[in-house]
PDB file of all heavy atoms in Angstrom:
ATOM      1  N   GLY B 479     -93.354 -33.667  49.478  1.00 94.00           N
ATOM      2  CA  GLY B 479     -92.576 -33.696  50.826  1.00 94.00           C
ATOM      3  C   GLY B 479     -92.865 -32.406  51.654  1.00 94.00           C
ATOM      4  O   GLY B 479     -93.254 -31.462  51.043  1.00 94.00           O
ATOM      5  N   ASP B 480     -92.370 -32.595  52.842  1.00 94.00           N
ATOM      6  CA  ASP B 480     -92.538 -31.387  53.760  1.00 94.00           C
ATOM      7  C   ASP B 480     -91.320 -30.491  53.538  1.00 94.00           C
ATOM      8  O   ASP B 480     -90.477 -30.482  54.340  1.00 94.00           O
ATOM      9  CB  ASP B 480     -92.655 -31.862  55.183  1.00 94.00           C
ATOM     10  CG  ASP B 480     -92.879 -30.632  56.077  1.00 94.00           C
ATOM     11  OD1 ASP B 480     -93.378 -29.637  55.605  1.00 94.00           O
ATOM     12  OD2 ASP B 480     -92.736 -30.841  57.327  1.00 94.00           O
ATOM     13  N   ILE B 481     -91.335 -29.770  52.398  1.00 93.00           N
ATOM     14  CA  ILE B 481     -90.032 -29.072  52.057  1.00 93.00           C
ATOM     15  C   ILE B 481     -90.232 -27.646  52.502  1.00 93.00           C
ATOM     16  O   ILE B 481     -91.362 -27.085  52.717  1.00 93.00           O
ATOM     17  CB  ILE B 481     -89.865 -29.020  50.571  1.00 93.00           C
ATOM     18  CG1 ILE B 481     -91.143 -28.469  49.820  1.00 93.00           C
ATOM     19  CG2 ILE B 481     -89.640 -30.430  49.954  1.00 93.00           C
ATOM     20  CD1 ILE B 481     -90.949 -28.211  48.311  1.00 93.00           C
ATOM     21  N   PRO B 482     -89.072 -27.012  52.826  1.00 92.00           N
ATOM     22  CA  PRO B 482     -89.122 -25.674  53.237  1.00 92.00           C
ATOM     23  C   PRO B 482     -89.492 -24.655  52.111  1.00 92.00           C
ATOM     24  O   PRO B 482     -89.347 -25.030  50.955  1.00 92.00           O
ATOM     25  CB  PRO B 482     -87.698 -25.440  53.639  1.00 92.00           C
ATOM     26  CG  PRO B 482     -86.866 -26.409  52.810  1.00 92.00           C
ATOM     27  CD  PRO B 482     -87.729 -27.551  52.725  1.00 92.00           C
ATOM     28  N   ARG B 483     -90.038 -23.632  52.556  1.00 90.00           N
ATOM     29  CA  ARG B 483     -90.417 -22.595  51.658  1.00 90.00           C
ATOM     30  C   ARG B 483     -89.091 -22.014  51.100  1.00 90.00           C
ATOM     31  O   ARG B 483     -88.134 -21.880  51.834  1.00 90.00           O
ATOM     32  CB  ARG B 483     -91.300 -21.519  52.267  1.00 90.00           C
ATOM     33  CG  ARG B 483     -92.709 -21.980  52.614  1.00 90.00           C
ATOM     34  CD  ARG B 483     -93.435 -21.113  53.575  1.00 90.00           C
ATOM     35  NE  ARG B 483     -93.740 -19.853  53.155  1.00 90.00           N
ATOM     36  CZ  ARG B 483     -94.821 -19.522  52.485  1.00 90.00           C
ATOM     37  NH1 ARG B 483     -95.718 -20.501  52.258  1.00 90.00           N
ATOM     38  NH2 ARG B 483     -95.053 -18.361  52.018  1.00 90.00           N
ATOM     39  N   LEU B 484     -89.135 -21.557  49.936  1.00 88.00           N
ATOM     40  CA  LEU B 484     -87.895 -21.131  49.204  1.00 88.00           C
ATOM     41  C   LEU B 484     -88.029 -19.578  48.838  1.00 88.00           C
ATOM     42  O   LEU B 484     -89.003 -19.158  48.391  1.00 88.00           O
ATOM     43  CB  LEU B 484     -87.533 -21.845  48.025  1.00 88.00           C
ATOM     44  CG  LEU B 484     -87.178 -23.349  48.127  1.00 88.00           C
ATOM     45  CD1 LEU B 484     -86.912 -23.997  46.711  1.00 88.00           C
ATOM     46  CD2 LEU B 484     -86.024 -23.544  49.037  1.00 88.00           C
ATOM     47  N   ALA B 485     -86.924 -18.920  48.923  1.00 87.00           N
ATOM     48  CA  ALA B 485     -86.872 -17.546  48.387  1.00 87.00           C
ATOM     49  C   ALA B 485     -86.611 -17.706  46.962  1.00 87.00           C
ATOM     50  O   ALA B 485     -85.544 -18.147  46.534  1.00 87.00           O
ATOM     51  CB  ALA B 485     -85.788 -16.811  49.070  1.00 87.00           C
ATOM     52  N   CYS B 486     -87.695 -17.465  46.105  1.00 86.00           N
ATOM     53  CA  CYS B 486     -87.516 -17.752  44.659  1.00 86.00           C
ATOM     54  C   CYS B 486     -88.535 -16.916  43.966  1.00 86.00           C
ATOM     55  O   CYS B 486     -89.334 -16.272  44.480  1.00 86.00           O
ATOM     56  CB  CYS B 486     -87.740 -19.212  44.337  1.00 86.00           C
ATOM     57  SG  CYS B 486     -89.478 -19.756  44.813  1.00 86.00           S
ATOM     58  N   ASN B 487     -88.249 -17.005  42.532  1.00 83.00           N
ATOM     59  CA  ASN B 487     -89.208 -16.307  41.689  1.00 83.00           C
ATOM     60  C   ASN B 487     -90.178 -17.456  41.242  1.00 83.00           C
ATOM     61  O   ASN B 487     -89.932 -18.215  40.331  1.00 83.00           O
ATOM     62  CB  ASN B 487     -88.484 -15.763  40.550  1.00 83.00           C
ATOM     63  CG  ASN B 487     -89.415 -14.939  39.702  1.00 83.00           C
ATOM     64  OD1 ASN B 487     -90.574 -15.322  39.427  1.00 83.00           O
ATOM     65  ND2 ASN B 487     -88.903 -13.826  39.086  1.00 83.00           N
ATOM     66  N   VAL B 488     -91.195 -17.587  41.956  1.00 82.00           N
ATOM     67  CA  VAL B 488     -92.068 -18.733  41.840  1.00 82.00           C
ATOM     68  C   VAL B 488     -92.749 -18.762  40.509  1.00 82.00           C
ATOM     69  O   VAL B 488     -92.993 -19.890  39.962  1.00 82.00           O
ATOM     70  CB  VAL B 488     -93.066 -18.743  43.012  1.00 82.00           C
ATOM     71  CG1 VAL B 488     -94.183 -17.675  42.808  1.00 82.00           C
ATOM     72  CG2 VAL B 488     -93.766 -20.232  43.147  1.00 82.00           C
ATOM     73  N   GLY B 489     -93.001 -17.614  39.931  1.00 80.00           N
ATOM     74  CA  GLY B 489     -93.553 -17.579  38.586  1.00 80.00           C
ATOM     75  C   GLY B 489     -92.657 -18.260  37.614  1.00 80.00           C
ATOM     76  O   GLY B 489     -92.995 -19.015  36.780  1.00 80.00           O
ATOM     77  N   GLN B 490     -91.275 -18.035  37.719  1.00 83.00           N
ATOM     78  CA  GLN B 490     -90.257 -18.607  36.780  1.00 83.00           C
ATOM     79  C   GLN B 490     -90.217 -20.008  37.022  1.00 83.00           C
ATOM     80  O   GLN B 490     -90.162 -20.835  36.133  1.00 83.00           O
ATOM     81  CB  GLN B 490     -88.928 -17.925  36.981  1.00 83.00           C
ATOM     82  CG  GLN B 490     -88.911 -16.481  36.376  1.00 83.00           C
ATOM     83  CD  GLN B 490     -87.483 -15.887  36.480  1.00 83.00           C
ATOM     84  OE1 GLN B 490     -86.613 -16.466  37.143  1.00 83.00           O
ATOM     85  NE2 GLN B 490     -87.339 -14.802  35.915  1.00 83.00           N
ATOM     86  N   LEU B 491     -90.240 -20.510  38.416  1.00 88.00           N
ATOM     87  CA  LEU B 491     -90.103 -21.929  38.678  1.00 88.00           C
ATOM     88  C   LEU B 491     -91.257 -22.646  38.142  1.00 88.00           C
ATOM     89  O   LEU B 491     -91.213 -23.732  37.683  1.00 88.00           O
ATOM     90  CB  LEU B 491     -89.965 -22.055  40.258  1.00 88.00           C
ATOM     91  CG  LEU B 491     -88.536 -21.708  40.829  1.00 88.00           C
ATOM     92  CD1 LEU B 491     -88.532 -22.003  42.237  1.00 88.00           C
ATOM     93  CD2 LEU B 491     -87.466 -22.493  40.090  1.00 88.00           C
ATOM     94  N   ASN B 492     -92.486 -22.037  38.243  1.00 87.00           N
ATOM     95  CA  ASN B 492     -93.690 -22.655  37.842  1.00 87.00           C
ATOM     96  C   ASN B 492     -93.580 -22.889  36.288  1.00 87.00           C
ATOM     97  O   ASN B 492     -93.965 -23.931  35.769  1.00 87.00           O
ATOM     98  CB  ASN B 492     -94.924 -21.766  38.041  1.00 87.00           C
ATOM     99  CG  ASN B 492     -95.244 -21.725  39.439  1.00 87.00           C
ATOM    100  OD1 ASN B 492     -94.901 -22.583  40.293  1.00 87.00           O
ATOM    101  ND2 ASN B 492     -96.117 -20.765  39.902  1.00 87.00           N
ATOM    102  N   GLN B 493     -92.943 -21.977  35.637  1.00 85.00           N
ATOM    103  CA  GLN B 493     -92.721 -22.122  34.100  1.00 85.00           C
ATOM    104  C   GLN B 493     -91.862 -23.347  33.888  1.00 85.00           C
ATOM    105  O   GLN B 493     -92.026 -24.078  32.995  1.00 85.00           O
ATOM    106  CB  GLN B 493     -92.032 -20.903  33.611  1.00 85.00           C
ATOM    107  CG  GLN B 493     -92.099 -20.781  32.066  1.00 85.00           C
ATOM    108  CD  GLN B 493     -91.368 -19.589  31.618  1.00 85.00           C
ATOM    109  OE1 GLN B 493     -91.242 -18.653  32.332  1.00 85.00           O
ATOM    110  NE2 GLN B 493     -91.040 -19.618  30.314  1.00 85.00           N
ATOM    111  N   VAL B 494     -90.791 -23.520  34.751  1.00 90.00           N
ATOM    112  CA  VAL B 494     -89.855 -24.705  34.716  1.00 90.00           C
ATOM    113  C   VAL B 494     -90.713 -25.942  34.889  1.00 90.00           C
ATOM    114  O   VAL B 494     -90.629 -26.939  34.113  1.00 90.00           O
ATOM    115  CB  VAL B 494     -88.712 -24.571  35.759  1.00 90.00           C
ATOM    116  CG1 VAL B 494     -87.886 -26.002  35.751  1.00 90.00           C
ATOM    117  CG2 VAL B 494     -87.884 -23.401  35.456  1.00 90.00           C
ATOM    118  N   PHE B 495     -91.477 -26.028  35.954  1.00 91.00           N
ATOM    119  CA  PHE B 495     -92.367 -27.236  36.209  1.00 91.00           C
ATOM    120  C   PHE B 495     -93.203 -27.480  35.058  1.00 91.00           C
ATOM    121  O   PHE B 495     -93.367 -28.692  34.660  1.00 91.00           O
ATOM    122  CB  PHE B 495     -93.121 -26.979  37.500  1.00 91.00           C
ATOM    123  CG  PHE B 495     -92.253 -26.667  38.663  1.00 91.00           C
ATOM    124  CD1 PHE B 495     -92.762 -25.889  39.718  1.00 91.00           C
ATOM    125  CD2 PHE B 495     -90.860 -27.219  38.860  1.00 91.00           C
ATOM    126  CE1 PHE B 495     -91.935 -25.536  40.849  1.00 91.00           C
ATOM    127  CE2 PHE B 495     -90.166 -26.940  39.997  1.00 91.00           C
ATOM    128  CZ  PHE B 495     -90.674 -26.150  40.982  1.00 91.00           C
ATOM    129  N   MET B 496     -93.879 -26.462  34.475  1.00 89.00           N
ATOM    130  CA  MET B 496     -94.765 -26.603  33.382  1.00 89.00           C
ATOM    131  C   MET B 496     -94.053 -27.215  32.095  1.00 89.00           C
ATOM    132  O   MET B 496     -94.542 -28.177  31.499  1.00 89.00           O
ATOM    133  CB  MET B 496     -95.476 -25.288  32.964  1.00 89.00           C
ATOM    134  CG  MET B 496     -96.504 -25.539  31.884  1.00 89.00           C
ATOM    135  SD  MET B 496     -97.489 -23.953  31.632  1.00 89.00           S
ATOM    136  CE  MET B 496     -96.305 -23.103  30.751  1.00 89.00           C
ATOM    137  N   ASN B 497     -92.820 -26.697  31.885  1.00 88.00           N
ATOM    138  CA  ASN B 497     -92.046 -27.200  30.778  1.00 88.00           C
ATOM    139  C   ASN B 497     -91.727 -28.727  30.985  1.00 88.00           C
ATOM    140  O   ASN B 497     -91.798 -29.508  29.996  1.00 88.00           O
ATOM    141  CB  ASN B 497     -90.747 -26.544  30.627  1.00 88.00           C
ATOM    142  CG  ASN B 497     -90.882 -25.071  29.946  1.00 88.00           C
ATOM    143  OD1 ASN B 497     -91.962 -24.882  29.205  1.00 88.00           O
ATOM    144  ND2 ASN B 497     -90.121 -24.162  30.309  1.00 88.00           N
TER     145      ASN B 497
END
Side-chain angles (χ1 to χ4, degrees):
Chain B
D480 187 13
I481 58 174
R483 292 162 67 89
L484 295 178
C486 62
N487 188 322
V488 75
Q490 287 183 352
L491 284 182
N492 287 346
Q493 194 179 337
V494 173
F495 302 149
M496 185 170 73
N497 282 334

